[in-house]
Amino acid sequence: MSYSRIFRHYLRPEVQREISEYCRGRWVGILCEKQGENGRRILVRYHGRHRKPLTISSPEDFKNLISYYRRLMPRSIYATANIYGRLEREEDVATIDNVAACTPTWDIDNRLEDWDATREAVKEILGFLQQNSVSESVSVKFSGEGAHVQIHPYAISEEVRSKHNPLDLAYALVEYVRVKLQPKIVDLTLKFKAESLRVDNEIDPQRLFVCPLSVHKELDTVAVFINPEELDDFTPEEARLGKPVKHWEGWRQYREGEADRLAEQALQTVGGYPGTYRRPRRRKHPPLDRQILKFLSQG
């Protein structure tokens, strides 16, 4: 696939609008086609020599970043589940104390060919949430291969987020539902013979999730939000790069406090994020930063 198709996709105004609105307040990552010295594709997470966490707050921001890093051939756009209070310095992402809200997200990993099994796993999660009075703040994202089910971060009220760290709340909520539904996911794996089907809890301090209307990291597909009520009507063919894709803009909607009870119940049952998050060691001249600057200065 010619890279020019991807670049043209990111120049579309509706793509710039959706990505920038989704990314606002989140720490962004741009996965590029260019490879670093280690043979892996470059993931840009900081901007400039002062290592400011990468952010996108407006369509103009996004357009400028895509143009600035064009030599690296940006392919996929990611953003954290976390929404931060500030994102000006590297230190702002070095602690979870700066997390203002976090998006509970179930990562349904599966092969594209087994979309039927993925869809049924999504339905199980939606059904469980609805049984627990969480329905107005829920959205479904086709990731380009699998799917994400997410609860709007502000469906957990400010009052509850002031009492518990938002990352702990999101981690516990995702894990609580995942464990409750694990037997049903196993049944779906057997029923559809979908050996790759998994529902994972990927909530951690720096985890990135694909943005809506981002191109998939490997496939010729685009991530799109799906109206949960129209899930049965969606097919991955509707999200092929280069085609007019059907994308649901209702991912913005939520009811504040809708997820409070379930989040607090999950936190009491599961506990918070189990890992530790230490301040990273800073280096004056990080090797990846040097490689990025080298690519950008070529030509």
Side-chain angles (χ1 to χ4, degrees):
M1 178 178 59
S2 170
Y3 178 73
S4 62
R5 290 180 60 196
I6 296 174
F7 191 76
R8 287 197 303 271
H9 171 78
Y10 286 134
L11 292 180
R12 293 167 54 189
E14 64 272 26
V15 173
Q16 295 175 4
R17 182 190 71 243
E18 289 297 291
I19 289 178
S20 62
E21 288 194 25
Y22 186 81
C23 287
R24 194 169 293 127
R26 303 178 190 266
W27 183 16
V28 172
I30 300 178
L31 182 66
C32 303
E33 297 265 295
K34 286 286 187 181
Q35 296 179 349
E37 294 172 358
N38 60 3
R40 295 183 177 181
R41 285 186 289 173
I42 291 174
L43 176 65
V44 182
R45 298 199 69 173
Y46 296 93
H47 184 62
R49 295 183 182 276
H50 298 292
R51 289 178 62 79
K52 179 182 182 294
L54 202 66
T55 59
I56 298 172
S57 299
S58 68
E60 193 66 21
D61 282 350
F62 179 66
K63 183 178 180 180
N64 290 340
L65 280 176
I66 290 298
S67 298
Y68 181 80
Y69 289 109
R70 186 173 182 179
R71 290 185 184 277
L72 300 181
M73 304 169 70
R75 180 184 178 95
S76 303
I77 315 300
Y78 299 91
T80 53
N82 290 333
I83 295 176
Y84 293 86
R86 62 189 177 278
L87 282 169
E88 297 296 330
R89 304 178 302 166
E90 185 177 0
E91 288 81 358
D92 292 337
V93 293
T95 171
I96 62 173
D97 294 338
N98 186 33
V99 175
C102 187
T103 311
T105 305
W106 290 265
D107 184 3
I108 304 169
D109 192 19
N110 199 10
R111 299 190 314 159
L112 185 64
E113 298 80 18
D114 294 327
W115 171 253
D116 287 349
T118 303
R119 183 185 60 234
E120 294 306 310
V122 168
K123 288 182 180 180
E124 291 291 348
I125 297 171
L126 294 177
F128 186 93
L129 294 176
Q130 189 169 24
Q131 290 168 15
N132 286 272
S133 304
V134 182
S135 59
E136 298 178 41
S137 311
V138 182
S139 54
V140 177
K141 186 201 311 165
F142 170 63
S143 67
E145 187 172 23
H148 298 153
V149 177
Q150 64 183 54
I151 297 175
H152 196 285
Y154 298 130
I156 301 176
S157 68
E158 185 176 1
E159 178 184 358
V160 171
R161 287 184 280 118
S162 68
K163 293 189 296 183
H164 310 286
N165 188 281
L167 177 73
D168 287 331
L169 289 164
Y171 174 87
L173 204 165
V174 172
E175 186 67 7
Y176 180 77
V177 176
R178 188 192 70 82
V179 172
K180 288 281 189 180
L181 293 179
Q182 187 59 27
K184 293 187 176 182
I185 301 304
V186 171
D187 289 344
L188 290 175
T189 301
L190 297 173
K191 177 181 177 180
F192 289 93
K193 298 180 181 179
E195 296 178 359
S196 298
L197 178 65
R198 297 196 320 270
V199 176
D200 294 329
N201 182 356
E202 300 287 356
I203 299 295
D204 70 29
Q206 296 197 9
R207 180 68 57 180
L208 295 169
F209 293 92
V210 68
C211 293
L213 298 186
S214 168
V215 177
H216 188 268
K217 63 182 178 180
E218 296 172 350
L219 303 179
D220 192 13
T221 54
V222 175
V224 294
F225 273 109
I226 308 165
N227 186 336
E229 296 181 359
E230 299 176 0
L231 185 60
D232 284 332
D233 299 328
F234 174 82
T235 65
E237 280 301 314
E238 298 176 31
R240 288 289 177 186
L241 179 64
K243 292 184 177 181
V245 298
K246 185 178 180 182
H247 169 67
W248 184 60
E249 298 186 3
W251 60 267
R252 298 166 172 82
Q253 66 190 28
Y254 69 97
R255 180 161 63 83
E256 185 176 359
E258 182 181 49
D260 282 359
R261 185 186 62 80
L262 185 58
E264 290 193 299
Q265 179 181 343
L267 186 61
Q268 184 177 13
T269 304
V270 175
Y273 176 70
T276 57
Y277 194 40
R278 299 182 177 88
R279 186 179 298 274
R281 180 173 60 89
R282 296 189 63 184
R283 296 177 293 190
K284 283 190 175 182
H285 305 290
L288 179 58
D289 289 11
R290 286 204 301 266
Q291 294 174 49
I292 291 173
L293 290 171
K294 177 182 175 182
F295 274 117
L296 295 177
S297 64
Q298 289 174 351

